[in-house]
Amino acid sequence: MTEEWQGQLKDFVNSIERLERFINISAEERKAIESTSSTWGTTPYFASLMDPDDPACPIRRQVIPSGQENINTYGMQDYLVWKENRATEEVRPDSIARQYVDRVAFTVTQNCGVYCRHCFRKELVVDGDLSLDFNVDEGLQWLSEHPEVRDVLVTGGDPFLLPDEQLEYLIRKLRELPHVQMIRFGTRAPIVLPQRITPGLKKVLGGYHRVPIWVNTQCNHPNEITEETAKAVFELMGCGINVGNQAVLLKGINDDVETFRELHQKLLRVRIKPYYVFYCESAPGIDHFRTPVEKGAELIRDALRGHTTGLAQPMSVIATNIGKIPLMPDYYIQGKNDKEYTLRNHKGETTTIPNMPE
Ligand SMILES: *Cc1c(COP(=O)(O)O)cnc(C)c1O
Ligand code: SF4
């Protein structure tokens, strides 16, 4: 029996003809679609959230190719090889990317429910310039030989596009490794394919276990959050899974104070905890999405910290080949001397507290 989510993938919106059912395609969009050789598209569900008449719609801009992708002034060549330390001495299967001692990213598929135009793995996922072998058993074998890895981040592509049986196998095998203490999934499914959170998937993910499962999704704009998202997240939580968000800061999409605040407030309203906001990485062909490096910290300062609950606040980071580097606002301590600290709040008011010697 075909489940609804599988129907969503079967009806994937990846042609002009299918896209026309949802929006009035602009001349520029049409030209970019006709001339691109990259993979593009999304589910009918996600396409239905597009504004039919506005080419600047934040969802259209994430999904529909743009002529600007051919302009690459600041993107790095072979970005993923650099970013995922693929050219280092340590021998690892293609599926394992490593920047840290205690945790790795384990890529299990390169298929997605949306081929994000801003994707930092676009050389692999969108452009198909990089060809890697994501053999799950090979990755599991490597993990079994690396007892220092206690935290496995399963990623892609979108791992939730795998069938229930494959996910069940993967989770079971990971949990059999005595050193694996937690499993994380990076998936846009709650946002682009909430139908994927089926009773079958819940059975695979759910239940009390020594090794918990955490999910991080990627939601970049408040328009991406619907009643369906809320229900999907609730279902995941109902089987013991925490859902966080890793937003990408995108120029003209979510880099203004109002949108940034609304995004983070709305995430909490559907029970998603903001985890990271990423600087849009220096992958090739996505210059047009990139903001200044400091923008994330500025938005946290101007839109979130103090202006709304601390629960809404993600950490602003830049992902690099040596790990994620925090880029947070730093105006809070205005001064200190032997007697006191002077602290500043979001309104610019200051206060003092005693400086106690250690
Ligand atoms: C992002 C990432 C992780 C996980 O980082 P956290 O800060 O723990 O979420 C692990 N390994 C690689 C290679 C990564 O890119
Ligand atoms: S879902 Fe993730 S991996 Fe897939 S295109 Fe989007 S950002 Fe890239």
Side-chain angles (χ1 to χ4, degrees):
M1 197 190 74
T2 313
E3 292 188 300
E4 193 188 347
W5 71 275
Q6 290 162 324
Q8 286 280 327
L9 294 178
K10 198 171 120 289
D11 296 336
F12 212 66
V13 181
N14 55 4
S15 67
I16 290 200
E17 190 192 26
R18 287 186 176 183
L19 186 61
E20 265 171 344
R21 292 182 206 153
F22 297 93
I23 61 165
N24 298 307
I25 304 176
S26 75
E28 241 172 87
E29 286 169 328
R30 191 176 294 270
K31 198 168 141 221
I33 292 169
E34 282 167 351
S35 61
T36 190
S37 56
S38 67
T39 304
W40 71 278
T42 191
T43 59
Y45 162 80
F46 200 52
S48 76
L49 304 181
M50 292 176 178
D51 182 323
D53 299 311
D54 181 11
C57 158
I59 295 175
R60 279 167 76 149
R61 288 203 51 216
Q62 289 180 66
V63 175
I64 303 173
S66 153
Q68 290 177 285
E69 291 170 27
N70 302 321
I71 305 166
N72 179 34
T73 310
Y74 300 98
M76 290 163 61
Q77 282 302 317
D78 296 323
Y79 182 73
L80 265 195
V81 173
W82 172 80
K83 164 76 189 301
E84 299 189 340
N85 296 310
R86 294 187 174 278
T88 54
E89 306 262 292
E90 188 184 43
V91 180
R92 288 185 306 265
D94 285 355
S95 59
I96 303 285
R98 185 170 210 183
Q99 294 165 348
Y100 303 103
V101 172
D102 81 326
R103 56 207 192 280
V104 295
F106 184 12
T107 306
V108 296
T109 174
Q110 56 194 52
N111 297 329
C112 300
V114 57
Y115 290 92
C116 311
R117 305 324 297 172
H118 57 271
C119 178
F120 78 85
R121 317 188 94 189
K122 73 190 288 282
E123 295 157 288
L124 174 76
V125 171
V126 177
D127 298 341
D129 293 341
L130 190 64
S131 163
L132 298 171
D133 178 19
F134 299 127
N135 183 308
V136 168
D137 285 312
E138 196 186 24
L140 288 167
Q141 178 63 34
W142 183 91
L143 285 166
S144 75
E145 293 158 8
H146 288 268
E148 74 280 12
V149 176
R150 50 170 297 279
D151 171 1
V152 179
L153 167 56
V154 183
T155 181
D158 193 328
F160 277 13
L161 257 54
L162 295 180
D164 291 352
E165 306 73 57
Q166 283 183 37
L167 286 171
E168 191 276 331
Y169 174 81
L170 174 65
I171 292 168
R172 181 159 44 83
K173 288 292 176 187
L174 286 173
R175 282 176 164 169
E176 279 171 13
L177 301 175
H179 53 279
V180 171
Q181 297 173 3
M182 55 191 279
I183 300 169
R184 292 192 272 170
F185 284 94
T187 169
R188 284 201 87 175
I191 302 301
V192 303
L193 187 60
Q195 300 79 2
R196 178 65 186 98
I197 317 305
T198 57
L201 181 69
K202 281 169 60 187
K203 222 164 130 190
V204 168
L205 301 174
Y208 180 80
H209 194 280
R210 170 186 72 85
V211 179
I213 295 175
W214 297 73
V215 163
N216 276 313
T217 193
Q218 184 197 137
C219 176
N220 301 321
H221 191 278
N223 291 3
E224 295 167 42
I225 301 170
T226 68
E227 183 80 23
E228 277 91 336
T229 323
K231 285 186 185 144
V233 174
F234 184 77
E235 295 295 323
L236 284 170
M237 294 184 82
C239 54
I241 291 161
N242 288 291
V243 184
N245 189 54
Q246 308 194 137
V248 183
L249 193 59
L250 298 168
K251 190 157 92 184
I253 291 181
N254 58 13
D255 67 340
D256 65 284
V257 167
E258 284 70 37
T259 308
F260 196 77
R261 184 185 302 135
E262 197 195 338
L263 168 64
H264 288 94
Q265 290 177 334
K266 205 166 167 188
L267 285 166
L268 286 182
R269 282 163 54 197
V270 297
R271 304 173 175 80
I272 299 177
K273 172 71 185 85
Y275 176 41
Y276 281 146
V277 57
F278 285 107
Y279 172 69
C280 182
E281 297 181 36
S282 301
I286 57 173
D287 290 357
H288 55 297
F289 285 117
R290 206 169 300 121
T291 64
V293 168
E294 289 86 357
K295 193 72 186 183
E298 285 168 17
L299 285 165
I300 287 173
R301 180 192 65 200
D302 299 340
L304 301 183
R305 187 75 261 174
H307 302 280
T308 192
T309 170
L311 280 170
Q313 187 180 305
M315 179 176 286
S316 148
V317 293
I318 178 164
T320 75
N321 61 326
I322 54 168
K324 297 177 179 72
I325 315 252
L327 299 167
M328 295 295 281
D330 60 358
Y331 62 87
Y332 306 114
I333 298 180
Q334 293 278 296
K336 78 175 194 184
N337 57 34
D338 292 349
K339 290 205 175 56
E340 61 190 20
Y341 279 87
T342 304
L343 304 175
R344 203 197 110 152
N345 76 356
H346 64 289
K347 292 188 211 158
E349 299 161 343
T350 56
T351 189
T352 56
I353 59 155
N355 182 2
M356 197 180 89
E358 241 183 292

